[in-house]
Amino acid sequence: GKRQYNRDFLLGFQFMPACV
Amino acid sequence: QEIVNPESYIKHPLQNSWSLWFFKNDKSKTWQANLRLISKFDTVEDFWALYNHIQLSSNLMSGCDYSLFKDGIEPMWEDERNKRGGRWLMTLNKQQRRLDLDRFWLETLLCLVGEAFDDHSDQVCGAVVNIRTKGDKIAVWTADYENRDAVTHIGRVYKERLGIPMKMTIGYQSHADTATKSGSTTKNKFVV
């Protein structure tokens, strides 16, 4: 299926520490 | 042995790979020479890394554009994937640069990378924000102006996501009409 992400899910990652 | 949750180290892949372009109006150069590819990304994490690193649209100089397009599509009418298409156009008044521009553009980006238009997301080519003294513009570009179902679905979802009141309308124009217009306005093929 298509990888759909809703706005709240996406916004939740804005200030996450970067992956290492 | 320690089991590490994959959520903590695997980035979240997007359906598409996207390219962010920047246009700076330098009248001594050709239009194409003023257009620069900034970066590409294909995960949620890399989208934010780029977004958080660059200037907000409202801080750009007049004459500048940001464009976000699916990888392989250039942000111009002439591209094979754009030339039969058109755009849902939001024209903003001068007060809206302060009030609405940055949140409308971010919402537009989230609609694109999150594939907000369901089965019709495949028809989306990209989006453009134009910073202009006379009034800024934001548009979502789609591939085929004759695909009524896709165009109107995308328009309805987009209008709702931006929080545009029911009584206000936004229009969809084909790039062919925009390219050949004689006056300052292009006729709408669809309105939602």
Side-chain angles (χ1 to χ4, degrees):
Chain A
K2 192 161 283 176
R3 289 195 199 101
Q4 275 188 299
Y5 295 122
N6 70 41
R7 73 185 300 279
D8 291 338
F9 180 86
L10 291 169
L11 285 166
F13 286 88
Q14 183 170 13
F15 301 112
M16 285 263 202
C19 287
V20 287
Chain B
Q1 227 178 352
E2 193 184 353
I3 309 291
V4 180
N5 179 356
E7 272 288 303
S8 64
Y9 64 90
I10 297 177
K11 293 183 190 178
H12 293 74
L14 299 173
Q15 176 69 29
N16 283 286
S17 178
W18 297 88
S19 298
L20 185 72
W21 301 75
F22 179 65
F23 179 89
K24 188 173 184 216
N25 190 19
D26 177 345
K27 293 203 167 75
S28 70
K29 295 182 186 166
T30 63
W31 188 88
Q32 292 220 9
N34 285 328
L35 183 67
R36 289 286 166 83
L37 175 64
I38 300 177
S39 189
K40 299 181 185 187
F41 58 86
D42 61 6
T43 67
V44 176
E45 286 81 354
D46 292 345
F47 161 69
W48 285 118
L50 178 58
Y51 179 84
N52 290 339
H53 182 72
I54 59 175
Q55 287 291 335
L56 290 170
S57 302
S58 59
N59 290 335
L60 298 180
M61 288 197 322
S62 195
C64 292
D65 305 334
Y66 281 134
S67 303
L68 185 76
F69 275 74
K70 286 176 181 168
D71 191 23
I73 308 179
E74 297 202 308
M76 55 186 77
W77 301 326
E78 297 86 347
D79 190 283
E80 192 59 34
R81 298 271 302 274
N82 290 324
K83 67 183 188 187
R84 285 171 297 279
R87 61 177 180 172
W88 281 109
L89 179 63
M90 290 276 311
T91 52
L92 308 186
N93 62 38
K94 289 182 182 182
Q95 292 74 37
Q96 284 180 290
R97 182 175 297 178
R98 186 170 53 82
L99 297 171
D100 296 323
L101 177 70
D102 293 327
R103 67 185 182 86
F104 279 179
W105 177 240
L106 177 57
E107 198 66 37
T108 304
L109 298 176
L110 297 180
C111 285
L112 265 56
V113 302
E115 309 284 334
F117 307 112
D118 310 298
D119 290 342
H120 298 298
S121 286
D122 292 342
Q123 280 285 309
V124 172
C125 296
V128 183
V129 56
N130 308 116
I131 306 305
R132 300 292 184 269
T133 314
K134 62 190 176 193
D136 305 322
K137 289 184 274 188
I138 297 178
V140 171
W141 289 31
T142 77
D144 179 6
Y145 71 81
E146 291 184 315
N147 190 336
R148 173 185 287 269
D149 286 352
V151 171
T152 53
H153 179 82
I154 290 166
R156 285 192 195 107
V157 171
Y158 186 50
K159 183 180 171 185
E160 191 190 328
R161 284 285 296 259
L162 294 183
I164 308 294
M166 291 286 277
K167 61 175 187 282
M168 285 181 61
T169 59
I170 57 172
Y172 181 93
Q173 301 142 12
S174 73
H175 298 317
D177 285 347
T178 305
T180 57
K181 70 180 178 185
S182 51
S184 61
T185 51
T186 306
K187 69 177 192 291
N188 290 324
K189 293 234 180 267
F190 304 99
V191 171
V192 294

